[in-house]
Amino acid sequence: MKSLLAAATISVLLLSGLVGISSIPSDLSPMAIGDDMVLYRYDADRTGRAPFVGDIEEPHVRWVFNTSANVISAPLIADVNGDNRYEVIVAADNGGLYVIDENGVFLYSTYFAPEYPMMPAAADIDGDGKLEIMAGQGSHSVVGGSLEIHALNGEDLSPLWSYTSTSGSEHGFFASPMFHDSNDDGILDVLVGSMDDYFYAFNGPDGNMIWKSPKGLHYNRATSPLDDIDNDGDQEIVGFDNAAQMRLYDADTGTIEWETDLGYGVGSSPLIADFDGDGYGEIASFMVVTGGISVLNHDGSILWNDTSRSDFYSTPTIAQIDGDGLPDLIGGDFNNHTVLAYRGVDGTPLWQTVLPDNARAQSSLVTADVDGDGEIEVLALGKDRNLFSLDAKTGAIEWTFGIERPFGQPTVWDIDQDGVAEIVLSAAGGLVYVLEQAPQPDFLPRTTGYWEHQCKVSEPKGEHPGITDEFAQGIADNSLVFVDIRSKDDVCSVLSSNPKSNMTGKALVQLMALWLNVVSGYVDASTGIDLGDLTSASTVGDAIAEIEDIILHSTDKAELERAKNIADALNNGIGG
């Protein structure tokens, strides 16, 4: 039976307000996600390869939402209420599942047992044309407990169905589910591994069990990829338990097509890609304790492995690095604070980057064209701090964004549908961040004549802010020249001084107007400037510092005239 998932196409499909995950280059060929599902790690192959393109060269916070609980899931972005706009869905350790709109406004929430939550996913599993949200909790420490996987209506989080997992101290669900029409009724079903050592397929509309796997060696906390990796026309799903027992299940029946033991202590979820170009899918996983890195052929045999490193707790990602047209593999070595890249076809090391400040690479990595330059970047979260953007071809760190205790993985998504992607990420302390490109600094200066007129404005009106005591205080707090400015009258006395042949006085008038442009918000001091031979200052702030240094320390008329000319040029909008 064929899956409802379509093969990857070239362009992003906008369907019913949802974006099809289909713009990944054809050499990587993950499956496309249509308007009937949104998955953790973007695609059914769990590659972490975002299809959206950003413009972020200098990250800037658009908004922050606080759930007041530790958010420990990666953000899921989907239109779950049918308004043709995206919502952000996150889960927290208080048992809360939160839905936030694209502007960071709280919409609604629901609460379950306060255990570790699964990464949510969304799909139309009842055939009503709307998305349902799958959520749940898992535990490997509470003896005699019982935890559930929940199917919730996306528009209000009301329950559709749930299934309870009970198995001693290990029960519930950590893994994010997969969706596939296992019973051939035209409606998506839910496939997911459980902490009770079994793998399940649940009927989408009512949660009735379609199939249950034989008991595995250990619990299943790894999120599973799905694909027709052996090209037999049927979909297979990968089960990977914490004893590193990997199984390939027929997604329709649960039949085990093969299984293999790769070591012990799984820290991450596998992904599927055609690493050797043979037309079949290979399965890659990074592990902990023993096993290292393994890439398996579609029949379970080993394509290559590297057991020299075994400190991997996060899911790897893919990018084309070495120019051979095949996907390469990138992952994070947790204990050694390192991100590493391997040649996909044979495991040859390509680069490794040690993250600064002992920032352990704890998150699952994702790849995207973050800055819109046509090249792919790798996004990695440090365990205790920072989001890093690395050049996928070289491993060089392009920028760092300071964030305390990030969790899950960053999600690259065009949440406002303006054609440019943002980065959404979670952090302990209850915070959800949306990052965008820092806005261009303001450079809309007014002339000295404009500011002289403001001295006559008694109350702010329209384009005339007047000169407020706050402006005066802002100048006094930041200037080394105008330290005694206290009021509007003080400011206006400088502007109206009419210094004529006094070059210092002329420089002071222009400097005062420039300061007013800054404290009023018309000019951002960080604005880049280029005034040629007049000054080597590269920002407005640097120019002000140079002007003030000349006024305070020079009596040379030519230098004072240069100071006046720098400020005059900027006040007239030149060089910014």
Side-chain angles (χ1 to χ4, degrees):
M1 185 200 71
K2 296 290 185 180
S3 167
L4 292 184
L5 297 175
T9 56
I10 295 175
S11 62
V12 174
L13 303 178
L14 295 176
L15 300 172
S16 301
L18 296 177
V19 175
I21 306 306
S22 52
S23 65
I24 302 175
S26 58
D27 60 295
L28 303 182
S29 298
M31 304 180 73
I33 306 305
D35 62 344
D36 52 1
M37 70 176 74
V38 182
L39 295 176
Y40 172 59
R41 296 194 59 74
Y42 302 112
D43 54 65
D45 289 327
R46 309 292 192 183
T47 63
R49 180 69 178 270
F52 300 100
V53 176
D55 64 350
I56 302 176
E57 297 179 342
E58 180 184 352
H60 169 81
V61 176
R62 174 183 291 185
W63 55 257
V64 180
F65 178 82
N66 192 345
T67 67
S68 300
N70 286 324
V71 176
I72 53 176
S73 78
L76 182 77
I77 317 296
D79 177 16
V80 294
N81 62 9
D83 64 354
N84 292 321
R85 308 182 77 85
Y86 286 124
E87 287 78 48
V88 180
I89 303 99
V90 293
D93 64 358
N94 66 343
L97 184 72
Y98 301 85
V99 180
I100 310 157
D101 79 5
E102 64 181 32
N103 298 309
V105 176
F106 171 77
L107 295 178
Y108 39 90
S109 62
T110 192
Y111 294 85
F112 310 116
E115 297 289 343
Y116 286 99
M118 69 159 53
M119 300 294 180
D124 179 10
I125 60 171
D126 60 4
D128 65 353
K130 302 176 183 178
L131 292 182
E132 285 71 48
I133 300 173
M134 301 302 304
Q137 313 85 34
S139 176
H140 49 72
S141 61
V142 180
V143 176
S146 60
L147 294 174
E148 299 82 21
I149 185 171
H150 302 271
L152 308 167
N153 290 298
E155 65 266 24
D156 57 8
L157 299 183
S158 59
L160 180 63
W161 55 260
S162 64
Y163 177 83
T164 301
S165 165
T166 58
S167 179
S169 62
E170 297 164 357
H171 54 99
F173 297 84
F174 272 141
S176 189
M178 177 58 70
F179 304 103
H180 169 75
D181 183 8
S182 293
N183 57 11
D184 204 17
D185 64 355
I187 300 175
L188 290 170
D189 304 307
V190 179
L191 280 64
V192 64
S194 173
M195 294 295 287
D196 65 4
D197 304 349
Y198 293 96
F199 205 99
Y200 294 90
F202 299 109
N203 187 49
D206 57 21
N208 289 333
M209 194 180 301
I210 299 173
W211 57 260
K212 178 180 179 179
S213 74
K215 188 177 179 67
L217 296 178
H218 215 314
Y219 54 72
N220 292 273
R221 68 178 180 183
T223 293
S224 296
L226 176 143
D227 205 337
D228 177 9
I229 70 169
D230 56 8
N231 295 335
D232 66 352
D234 295 323
Q235 299 293 307
E236 291 84 32
I237 190 163
V238 178
F240 198 24
D241 72 19
N242 214 61
Q245 180 188 57
M246 182 175 285
R247 286 174 169 175
L248 191 71
Y249 297 106
D250 183 296
D252 295 339
T253 66
T255 301
I256 299 174
E257 299 191 0
W258 54 256
E259 67 180 27
T260 187
D261 184 357
L262 293 177
Y264 184 76
V266 175
S268 67
S269 301
L271 64 81
I272 296 173
D274 183 6
F275 290 104
D276 59 4
D278 65 353
Y280 294 94
E282 285 81 47
I283 304 168
S285 182
F286 283 36
M287 292 175 285
V288 297
V289 183
T290 61
I293 305 166
S294 295
V295 178
L296 302 185
N297 290 301
H298 69 278
D299 59 2
S301 62
I302 293 178
L303 176 64
W304 62 266
N305 64 359
D306 178 3
T307 59
S308 66
R309 290 177 177 266
S310 56
D311 297 315
F312 301 102
Y313 289 81
S314 58
T315 301
T317 187
I318 57 174
Q320 217 303 296
I321 298 175
D322 64 355
D324 65 358
L326 298 173
D328 302 306
L329 195 60
I330 307 169
D333 182 332
F334 178 82
N335 286 336
N336 293 296
H337 319 282
T338 305
V339 178
L340 310 100
Y342 294 87
R343 190 168 182 254
V345 68
D346 58 14
T348 300
L350 298 175
W351 54 257
Q352 65 177 39
T353 298
V354 178
L355 299 180
D357 302 322
N358 292 328
R360 296 182 175 184
Q362 67 94 18
S363 77
S364 295
L365 304 180
V366 299
T367 42
D369 183 357
V370 172
D371 55 15
D373 64 353
E375 301 291 338
I376 298 300
E377 283 76 40
V378 182
L379 291 180
L381 293 174
K383 176 180 181 294
D384 299 313
R385 66 188 68 85
N386 296 339
L387 167 67
F388 300 92
S389 178
L390 289 73
D391 184 312
K393 288 190 175 180
T394 66
I397 296 174
E398 296 186 349
W399 52 255
T400 302
F401 174 76
I403 183 174
E404 293 300 313
R405 296 187 297 156
F407 201 91
Q409 67 176 41
T411 301
V412 179
W413 204 277
D414 181 9
I415 64 169
D416 56 5
Q417 301 182 66
D418 67 350
V420 180
E422 293 76 37
I423 299 172
V424 190
L425 67 160
S426 307
L431 302 179
V432 180
Y433 290 82
V434 171
L435 307 181
E436 62 184 356
Q437 169 61 17
Q440 288 294 319
D442 289 324
F443 188 70
L444 300 168
R446 270 55 173 172
T447 64
T448 54
Y450 171 88
W451 289 112
E452 288 173 7
H453 176 72
Q454 300 312 302
C455 292
K456 302 174 184 178
V457 175
S458 58
E459 294 183 4
K461 183 178 180 181
E463 288 294 314
H464 296 281
I467 294 177
T468 67
D469 288 343
E470 288 77 11
F471 290 176
Q473 190 60 54
I475 294 170
D477 289 344
N478 292 281
S479 173
L480 298 177
V481 170
F482 299 122
V483 293
D484 296 325
I485 295 295
R486 291 292 180 270
S487 66
K488 174 181 178 179
D489 288 344
D490 293 338
V491 171
C492 292
S493 67
V494 174
L495 291 173
S496 61
S497 60
N498 193 20
K500 295 184 180 178
S501 60
N502 180 351
M503 194 56 68
T504 299
K506 291 181 178 181
L508 288 171
V509 171
Q510 292 292 341
L511 176 62
M512 177 59 76
L514 185 53
W515 267 119
L516 285 165
N517 279 315
V518 170
V519 297
S520 66
Y522 286 127
V523 171
D524 190 319
S526 67
T527 302
I529 62 171
D530 182 2
L531 290 174
D533 294 337
L534 189 58
T535 175
S536 62
S538 59
T539 67
V540 171
D542 292 341
I544 289 175
E546 182 177 2
I547 294 165
E548 293 207 333
D549 183 67
I550 293 171
I551 291 173
L552 289 171
H553 300 108
S554 180
T555 58
D556 182 76
K557 184 177 179 181
E559 272 296 280
L560 290 167
E561 184 174 10
R562 186 171 70 87
K564 183 265 294 182
N565 289 341
I566 294 170
D568 186 23
L570 295 175
N571 289 330
N572 281 278
I574 299 171

